[in-house]
Amino acid sequence: MTNTMRAISLGDPDGLVEITATRPEPLPTEILVKVHAAGVNPTDWKSRRTAGSKLWSDPPIPGFDVAGVVEEVGFGVTLFRPGDEVFGMPWFPRQAGAYAEYVTAPSRHFARTPAGLPFTDAAALPLVSLTAWQALVDTADIQPGQRVLIHAAAGGVGHVAAQIAKARGAYVLGTARAAKHDFLRGIGVDEPIDYTAVDFAAAARDVDVVLDTIGGDYAERSLRVLRPGGTYLSIVAGIDDGLSAAASARGLRAAFVLVEPDHGALTEIAALVERGDLTVTVDAVLPLADAAKAHELGASNRTTGKLVLRVS
């Protein structure tokens, strides 16, 4: 094994360039993963604006979703052995460096890949599934029969969140363009809403939980669809004083969810995949060298599901 690796780093100005970087070495409790595929998420291109902050390492390498094979284990690691297939979202929101041939991170930032799942599908799962799980399960604790509205339900987080909500027994409403309604029904959405034709705030009623993946004026409008005691969850912006006051006045809860690495939740998510209750949709797989193209495609907001980079 050489002590260098291919990676994608931040270029100038605000671009992406392929570089040769030093291969990392696992510290105690860490594993070295040979990356086979890396998921692409909006935070990948949005976080480029923070280049130079304490969240980045040197060299700055984007990407958080990792799927690959354990190459080495550090002192004290008991969860994995070399040769194990793993997936995870290490270090978030600090640099994970997934757009590279190798990453190192604490072993408990990963879980075993669902049996038989291709690396490209496994790489599409971690960030979106952990976001959905930590919002809908850990924070909202959705229960069977509850009504859950998911904005951009055909998107990366949205299409996974819809399936997690459905697996928990919820009645799922989802916003998307009409052209994507068949896709939504195929993943279990009970009531697709075409946000381009109707006001979702008028179309949805008596909702228990809203998962907002869009932000802006969707926040205040989402409060109108919630029944008393309902929960509004944002994954795109914090809850400002005005929104907090508006929610309290209606007897609602409003919270911002920032996803964290989570071995336990990843293990639960893997079980959902193996039971057939969760399928990730991969819109396109591109080679690592085309990372900039993947960012352009993702920023167009016209993809269904996830984009993935094939690394090894």
Side-chain angles (χ1 to χ4, degrees), residues 28-306:
T29 77
E30 293 185 349
I31 59 176
L32 172 70
V33 177
K34 181 176 177 60
V35 181
H36 283 247
V40 177
N41 298 284
T43 191
D44 295 356
W45 57 84
K46 292 177 181 178
S47 66
R48 284 157 55 180
R49 305 168 191 161
T50 66
S53 75
K54 294 180 179 180
L55 297 177
W56 290 94
S57 303
D58 185 20
I61 299 172
F64 294 99
D65 279 338
V66 174
V69 177
V70 177
E71 192 91 4
E72 295 179 14
V73 299
F75 179 76
V77 172
T78 58
L79 284 179
F80 306 113
R81 300 176 182 177
D84 287 342
E85 295 185 3
V86 296
F87 74 126
M89 184 200 69
W91 297 116
F92 189 90
R94 292 164 53 190
Q95 175 172 308
Y99 293 8
E101 292 181 302
Y102 294 92
V103 300
T104 54
S107 64
R108 294 178 186 273
H109 287 190
F110 296 89
R112 293 182 187 276
T113 301
L117 193 68
F119 287 118
T120 49
D121 287 16
L125 269 172
L127 189 144
V128 294
S129 62
L130 284 176
T131 299
W133 185 276
Q134 291 171 11
L136 298 178
V137 179
D138 293 346
T139 304
D141 189 25
I142 58 174
Q143 299 296 313
Q146 287 190 320
R147 293 167 60 85
V148 177
L149 171 62
I150 298 168
H151 289 308
V157 173
H159 87 288
V160 171
Q163 294 173 79
I164 289 175
K166 200 65 186 172
R168 302 275 292 186
Y171 180 90
V172 181
L173 305 88
T175 62
R177 294 175 179 271
K180 296 187 177 183
H181 284 192
D182 285 344
F183 170 76
L184 293 190
R185 295 185 184 95
I187 60 172
V189 173
D190 300 285
E191 193 174 325
I193 298 172
D194 181 0
Y195 68 93
T196 69
V198 299
D199 180 1
F200 76 84
R205 283 288 181 269
D206 297 323
V207 172
D208 295 286
V209 178
V210 173
L211 180 60
D212 185 1
T213 67
I214 298 176
D217 69 348
Y218 269 57
E220 191 281 329
R221 291 164 62 199
S222 292
L223 299 184
R224 302 180 213 163
V225 310
L226 286 163
R227 61 179 54 168
T231 300
Y232 166 80
L233 301 170
S234 172
I235 64 168
V236 291
I239 307 300
D240 62 29
D241 291 342
L243 186 64
S244 180
S248 296
R250 292 175 168 89
L252 306 172
R253 177 189 183 192
F256 171 66
V257 179
L258 182 62
V259 66
E260 305 173 57
D262 189 337
H263 167 77
L266 281 174
T267 301
E268 296 279 359
I269 289 159
L272 285 179
V273 173
E274 290 175 345
R275 290 199 301 268
D277 291 331
L278 175 60
T279 302
V280 66
T281 296
V282 176
D283 190 283
V285 178
L286 295 87
L288 179 63
D290 284 348
K293 181 179 178 181
H295 282 202
E296 291 175 10
L297 288 172
S300 72
N301 293 320
R302 289 293 178 266
T303 56
T304 298
K306 291 291 299 291

Side-chain angles (χ1 to χ4, degrees), residues 2-33:
T2 67
N3 63 353
T4 62
M5 64 178 184
R6 281 192 313 132
I8 298 296
S9 187
L10 301 186
D12 185 31
D14 194 33
L16 295 175
V17 295
E18 186 169 329
I19 64 169
T20 298
T22 301
R23 179 176 60 81
E25 298 289 340
L27 297 174
T29 77
E30 293 185 349
I31 59 176
L32 172 70
V33 177

